[in-house]
Amino acid sequence: MTRGGGRSAVPSPGRLGLLDENARESLLVLGWSSPDDVDLLWALSRAPDPDLALRALVRLRERDDEPWREVERFLRTSKPFRGRLLSVLGGSDALADHIVAEPDAWRLLIDDAMPTVDESRSALLAAVEATPDSSAGDGDLTFRAGITGNDAVTALRRVYRDQVLILAAHDLAATVEDEPVLYLPEVGGRLADLADVALTAALAVAIADVLGDAQLETRMAVVAMGKCGARELNYVSDVDIVFVAEPADPTSARIAGEMMRIGSLAFFDVDAGLRPEGKSGALTRTLESHIAYYQRWAKTWEFQALLKARPMAGDMSLGRDYVLATSPMVWDASERDDFVPEVQAMRRRVESLVPDDYKARNLKLGRGGLRDVEFAVQLLQMVHGRVDASLRVQSTLDALDALVTGGYISRDDGANFSASYQFLRLLEHRLQLQRLQRTHLLPALDDDPAVRWLARAAHIRPEGDKDATHVFRRGLRRQVTRVRQLHEKLFYRPLLDAVARTDKGLLRLTDDSAKRQLAALGYAMPDRALAHIRALASTPGRTGAIQSMILPGLLEHISDAPDPDAGLLNYRKLSEQMGTTSWYLRLLRDDGVVAESLMRVLGTSEYIADLLMRSPDVIQMYSIGATGPKLTEVDPADVAKGLRASMRRAPDLTRAIAVARSHRRAELARIASADILGLMSVQEVCRALSTVWATVLDASLDKVVEESLRTRGAAAPARIAVIGMGRLGGGELGYGSDADVLFVCEPVAGFDDSEAVTWAQSVAEQVRTMLGSPSADPPLEVDIGLRPEGRNGPVVRTLGSYAAYYRQWAEAWEVQALLRAHTVAGDDDLGLDFLHMIDETRYPAGGVSPDAVREIRRIKARVDSERLPRGADPATHTKLGRGGLADVEWTVQLTQLRYAHEYPSLHNTSTLETLEAIAAADLIPAEQVDILTDAWITATHARNALVLVRGKPVDQLPGPGRQLRAVAYAAGWPQEDATEFLEHYMRVTRRAKAVVTEVFGV
């Protein structure tokens, strides 16, 4: 039959959205091909997956002709039944299989009313012929089954699947017909109720399995935790439980273990991992034992878990006693010293479990996902619930409502986040229903069939010319973006509103509440933090308006840093110094990378914060350029060229040295920032720091010589070169390293040695004095302590004088020091002549004598015993400690002294490059070289991190605590892994010490 226009009144498979190539034949099998079937066909087309629903209908039809006629009659006469059956057949492959496999399962969808909790409990208990146990008191849920073993598991699995089918069909029905919508709280609550009755039945079987007909002499309560405890369970989820038993004897443990086994086989994974001591703890404990554990040993996350505790099965009065006893502890947890680091560590640990490839698709643990909402809500509850009992609720949505009512979250924010949370949970439910598998992974957004199914299952319909997949993608982006702003909205915006004292009629966070919130966010001195926020937000004019706009986001980033108090103070000082500088706040407002990076730096490094106060232009380099981070795009040659040009333009020497300091300060800020943000390796940092020092020395020397010649009015009597020693010579300076140098001169034609040395010494002393004058910048001390005769020797010598001294008087330690000599400033030719001159001393023919080796070992032993500071821990002293920098460097240098005459590749001032040469020459086994290299890099990184955090040269790693977390963070480790960072350091250096002992001999 066709309409007047020629189109058939019966829609084609294509118009119905059926994509299966066998769809037409399947419709013919059902006999749905006449105008009388149009309503059925259009209803089928609205199923989440019409092809899946059609295939299931055909399977039902082919299974048995007689029941099919009854199914079809209900499909034609009852729209509610039609909506429930077609939606569940098209929304869940697993439940469709259940309907086809169980002949009468479809009849469960006829009734418009869903079963009550009592009815569901009765159905599951009846499946195993369970009756109340004789030990059960009034109101207890303790039963004993008449059916046990595999038969009980099979019966329970079938009846539980029936109950899930009923709920899922009612939940999905609105996608096909105009049926009531079940919202998340009801669905989650009903699923939790089903879990309760399921585990009640599993406990009944366990009691029968373990005891047989023997009397139950143990009171046992099963306490629901997590989502089940909060009555917001998923369709497929672990159910977290805790057992309380009186007495907690082997029998109670056997019953508990058997209940978990049966429940996991029949229903869902049953997990008791939240019990005291986790999976290594006793399965059952008495109430007194639970209380003792929580009072003495529990960690913060365990109190978070108690927030959702609820009696679910067994001895309900014992379960209520457990909740009553532990609940007050939840609300005191935020006062614990380790509350903030533990909470932050738990969050980061959970996030780290998601592979990078899946983070954008993970509904639960991805950024902007469900865990972000749940974590933030729980944290706010624990912070404010101590003094506000109205917040002591269990479900996330109830907690959001309570936080809004209490004035901790604005009404708009509460409504928005509730809607976003429910949307994401709806998607999670639909994904799990598809195959009744535990999953939180969205399909790839370019997988059109999968996205189309999910959009339809979530009842997302086309809008205008946009199909359901387009609407879904747009909605998902909007919801995730909104949740990504969760911490700013829930934690920080209320703080700004509190200090601004604006009456919006929506939110009135008191000072006390604001301080509690700041304390929970990691601020050790919330009073001061609130004062800083108030000062920043109250800045007059446009500057204050922009501060109020960006502060919530900045505060979130600062709170993730190791020292939020220092970070906020540093930000305030920097902002006050910048005043109305136009680019500063605009950059923080418009470039999220800059804002996050700057807050991370200010909350971690006093060293960089001090530098940025005087070189704020470096902040503009925190952004991303065309080829990558601007912090690493700088060419050292350009820096040197710019420094020299600026110094040449300076009107006098004092101003020129100030210019040199300014350039060095900016370059230190750039290098340190790139270091702490993980953009430069240890080797790159050390090389860059050495280059800066050499550039400043060279330019300053040139300027002093220029000024001297202008004053003299005559030509220079000598050429001067500066020889870098120690780490400067090796190109391996750290932030706290001294700049060890030697000054060498050579008279030019027409001048004698005396006049040359006198003039060169005045130049050298002026360079040292000018650079070393007190300043707010990191020290610019030029150390000449390694010169011949030490502090008693002349500051400058001629090349011939050096040669004579080294030939006749050089001691073993002086020869060793020359191994790192390298020209860093002044006359290049003279510097090269000096290096050639000392080669016969530092690389002696035949190697150093046995006496010299013994002397070096004796000096090293003396250094180890005398130079380590009193009270220092040799296991964690980065320079002089066991397997630290000195150990590695002395080992490398002794190897050079012994073999460099034979292997020219050892003529190298860099410790790391020399180690590579030692390995290539097979002088030390490659695996031992790797150990020494790892130790040098590890110790250098740790030493640099210490300076960045402390703002001054420090060699001793701190013990566990906030300072160690900051050092670990500065060294590139997560804060929560600070102890692992320390253990790693000690493990690496301990292995290095073993190599040093074998190779060096001390």
Side-chain angles (χ1 to χ4, degrees), residues 579-594:
T580 58
T581 305
S582 60
W583 62 262
Y584 170 64
L585 289 179
R586 185 173 66 247
L587 182 64
L588 295 182
R589 180 193 65 193
D590 298 338
D591 194 326
V593 172
V594 174

Side-chain angles (χ1 to χ4, degrees), residues 19 85 89 214 513 548 573 576 595 633 669 724 729 737 752 804 806 847 931 976 985-986 990:
L19 304 178
L85 181 62
L89 292 179
S513 296
S548 294
K573 288 160 61 178
E576 290 174 347
E633 288 181 344
S737 302
D752 59 22
Y806 288 131
I931 290 171
E976 61 270 21
Y985 175 89
M986 292 192 289
R990 184 169 57 247

Side-chain angles (χ1 to χ4, degrees), residues 64-83:
D64 198 329
D65 190 58
E66 184 64 31
W68 168 249
R69 285 197 290 272
E70 196 172 1
V71 170
E72 189 174 31
R73 177 170 62 80
F74 275 105
L75 282 171
R76 295 181 183 278
T77 59
S78 172
K79 283 189 176 183
F81 173 80
R82 182 194 303 169

Side-chain angles (χ1 to χ4, degrees), residues 980-991:
E980 186 178 339
F981 159 77
L982 189 62
E983 291 172 351
H984 172 78
Y985 175 89
M986 292 192 289
R987 182 167 58 250
V988 168
T989 52
R990 184 169 57 247
R991 294 170 63 206

Side-chain angles (χ1 to χ4, degrees), residues 411-704:
R411 290 194 192 98
D412 286 346
D413 288 344
N416 285 335
F417 289 123
S418 177
S420 294
Y421 181 69
Q422 293 189 67
F423 175 78
L424 296 176
R425 286 292 305 277
L426 173 64
L427 298 184
E428 182 182 45
H429 280 183
R430 296 300 178 257
L431 288 167
Q432 293 180 348
L433 270 178
Q434 191 173 25
R435 294 181 178 83
L436 284 186
Q437 292 178 349
R438 186 184 182 201
T439 182
H440 310 286
L441 196 64
L442 287 165
L445 292 184
D446 59 356
D447 184 348
D448 284 341
V451 171
R452 183 182 302 110
W453 170 85
L454 182 55
R456 291 167 64 93
H459 205 190
I460 294 172
R461 293 293 183 242
E463 293 179 5
D465 62 342
K466 307 298 184 184
D467 65 11
T469 58
H470 180 92
V471 175
F472 169 81
R473 292 185 181 105
R474 184 184 64 196
L476 179 64
R477 281 194 300 269
R478 184 174 64 250
Q479 302 291 356
V480 168
T481 299
R482 190 156 68 181
V483 173
R484 281 176 182 169
Q485 301 165 354
L486 178 69
H487 288 82
E488 174 183 333
K489 285 287 189 179
L490 296 194
F491 291 128
Y492 304 102
R493 177 56 61 187
L495 296 172
L496 265 291
D497 292 338
V499 300
R501 296 298 181 202
T502 55
D503 184 4
K504 299 181 179 180
L506 300 175
L507 187 65
R508 294 183 180 86
L509 199 63
T510 66
D511 274 9
D512 285 344
S513 296
K515 290 171 188 175
R516 283 198 305 273
Q517 200 146 308
L518 284 164
L521 294 168
Y523 293 87
M525 293 175 284
D527 288 1
R528 295 185 185 180
L530 193 62
H532 296 324
I533 295 170
R534 181 170 283 120
L536 288 162
S538 61
T539 306
R542 179 174 173 77
T543 299
I546 298 177
Q547 285 284 17
S548 294
M549 180 191 306
I550 65 175
L551 260 173
L554 300 183
L555 289 169
E556 178 178 4
H557 296 316
I558 292 174
S559 70
D560 285 335
D563 192 343
D565 295 272
L568 184 53
L569 173 60
N570 288 330
Y571 176 64
R572 178 182 175 181
K573 288 160 61 178
L574 183 61
S575 295
E576 290 174 347
Q577 182 167 307
M578 296 300 289
T580 58
T581 305
S582 60
W583 62 262
Y584 170 64
L585 289 179
R586 185 173 66 247
L587 182 64
L588 295 182
R589 180 193 65 193
D590 298 338
D591 194 326
V593 172
V594 174
E596 182 174 357
S597 298
L598 179 60
M599 298 309 110
R600 176 178 174 182
V601 165
L602 294 179
T604 307
S605 174
E606 281 300 311
Y607 183 86
I608 305 176
D610 290 342
L611 291 171
L612 291 177
M613 299 296 171
R614 304 188 66 206
S615 295
D617 286 350
V618 174
I619 296 169
Q620 298 181 78
M621 302 175 72
Y622 281 28
S623 62
I624 305 298
T627 59
K630 292 183 179 179
L631 285 167
T632 57
E633 288 181 344
V634 175
D635 185 342
D638 291 339
V639 174
K641 190 183 301 181
L643 187 148
R644 291 179 183 279
S646 298
M647 289 185 72
R648 278 197 300 269
R649 291 193 298 269
D652 54 50
L653 185 56
T654 301
R655 180 60 186 157
I657 297 300
V659 168
R661 287 181 180 278
S662 175
H663 276 262
R664 175 176 179 264
R665 181 197 317 127
E667 194 57 0
L668 287 179
R670 179 191 71 83
I671 296 165
S673 296
D675 183 5
I676 211 165
L677 294 173
L679 303 176
M680 294 177 73
S681 68
V682 173
Q683 297 94 313
E684 290 169 334
V685 168
C686 293
R687 178 64 64 184
L689 292 172
S690 302
T691 301
V692 173
W693 240 119
T695 300
V696 170
L697 266 174
D698 195 33
S700 300
L701 178 63
D702 281 354
K703 190 67 177 179
V704 171

